[in-house]
């Protein structure tokens, strides 16, 4: 199998961490690309042109990070999507919250990257930052739910916090969310996290 990623992409990082945590990494060839450069042929793999995408041995390519993660979970020996019951909904809620941070943060970054003349869309940026701070507040109040066996929820939260540190380092989130910060310090020791650090 081949996993297309870019080192800076937090969505691709979710899939790369999932590959390691499910025990599937050895079966996957990692292919680093620059999605914004639209590499030749990549839209045949993922017509949306984004990373990550997984070229499978047993079917057409899969894309969208959560779909790729769920496939790796299904194939791997170690499960990161709890099968059913309250633990599953907790993990999926954390995944949705973390994706909310990523979607808002990436939108803000894209506005910066593509801005041409005229005023920046400050209203748009303020709204994204409100979403980020609201999600961080919720995660802080539910930090106990981030303990226990590794799940896709924990992985996604680690990717979201890591992305804030990577691209928004000037906006401190730790002071107002000390419990989340402490959880992140401990979780970030995992090999899957250090190996996929965009700044490593
Ligand atoms: N919802 C998608 C988002 C993926 C995404 O936005 N990837 C970015 C990199 S962080 C990308 O490839 N952007 C290139 C583009 O938008 O054309 C997922 O979860 O996989």
């Amino acid at each position: 199998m081949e996993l297309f990623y870019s080192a800076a992409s937090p969505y691709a990082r979710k899939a790369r961490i999932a590959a390691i945590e499910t025990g599937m990494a050895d079966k996957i060839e990692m292919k680093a690309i620059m999605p914004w450069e639209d590499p030749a042929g990549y839209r045949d793999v993922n017509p949306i042109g984004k990373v990550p995408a997984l070229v499978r041995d047993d079917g057409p390519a899969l894309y969208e990070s959560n779909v790729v993660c769920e496939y790796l979970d299904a194939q791997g020996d170690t499960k990161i999507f709890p099968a059913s019951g309250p633990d599953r909904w907790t993990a999926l809620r954390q995944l949705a919250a973390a994706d909310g941070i990523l979607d808002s943060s990436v939108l803000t970054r894209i506005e910066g990257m593509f801005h041409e003349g005229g005023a920046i869309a400050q209203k748009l940026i303020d709204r994204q930052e409100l979403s980020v701070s609201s999600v961080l507040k919720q995660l802080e109040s539910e930090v106990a739910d981030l303990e226990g066996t590794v799940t896709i929820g924990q992985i996604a939260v680690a990717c979201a916090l890591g992305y804030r540190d990577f691209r928004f380092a000037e906006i401190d989130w730790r002071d107002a969310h000390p419990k989340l910060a402490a959880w992140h310090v401990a979780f970030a020791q995992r090999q899957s996290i250090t190996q996929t650090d965009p700044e490593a």
Side-chain angles (χ1 to χ4, degrees):
M1 285 189 283
E2 293 175 339
L3 181 65
F4 287 86
Y5 77 101
S6 79
S9 167
Y11 301 99
R13 190 180 188 193
K14 251 194 289 174
R16 292 161 70 208
I17 295 171
I20 296 168
E21 296 288 356
T22 56
M24 290 294 289
D26 288 351
K27 300 187 173 72
I28 300 171
E29 196 182 331
M30 297 288 170
K31 298 268 193 187
I33 61 163
M34 305 287 266
W36 291 102
E37 291 177 5
D38 256 325
Y42 186 59
R43 281 185 196 264
D44 296 334
V45 174
N46 179 359
I48 306 167
K50 297 184 180 187
V51 288
L54 182 75
V55 174
R56 293 182 288 163
D57 299 331
D58 62 352
L62 295 175
Y63 40 87
E64 283 290 317
S65 55
N66 295 338
V67 176
V68 172
C69 290
E70 196 153 354
Y71 178 80
L72 295 174
D73 177 78
Q75 301 296 311
D77 291 332
T78 304
K79 300 298 170 196
I80 55 172
F81 282 78
S84 61
D87 288 351
R88 179 170 175 83
W89 298 118
T90 298
L92 293 183
R93 175 177 158 86
Q94 291 162 341
L95 172 59
D99 279 352
I101 292 180
L102 288 185
D103 293 348
S104 289
S105 304
V106 168
L107 187 54
T108 296
R109 189 167 157 77
I110 287 172
E111 157 64 13
M113 275 165 63
F114 285 91
H115 196 78
E116 284 176 15
I120 58 163
Q122 194 58 50
K123 228 174 160 173
L124 173 83
I125 291 171
D126 290 348
R127 190 163 169 77
Q128 304 319 307
E129 285 305 299
L130 174 62
S131 299
V132 170
S133 58
S134 303
V135 172
L136 288 172
K137 191 173 165 196
Q138 181 177 91
L139 289 171
E140 175 77 3
S141 72
E142 298 178 5
V143 78
D145 292 343
L146 287 166
E147 297 304 333
T149 318
V150 173
T151 67
I152 188 62
Q154 296 169 17
I155 292 169
V157 171
C159 288
L161 298 177
Y163 189 67
R164 292 300 295 185
D165 286 342
F166 178 44
R167 293 299 196 198
F168 297 81
E170 70 287 0
I171 306 176
D172 176 71
W173 58 269
R174 287 181 172 78
D175 267 5
H177 311 94
K179 291 184 264 183
L180 191 58
W183 173 82
H184 187 235
V185 168
F187 196 79
Q189 308 294 318
R190 298 187 73 79
Q191 206 188 16
S192 61
I193 303 294
T194 56
Q195 267 182 25
T196 56
D197 182 348
E199 296 183 277

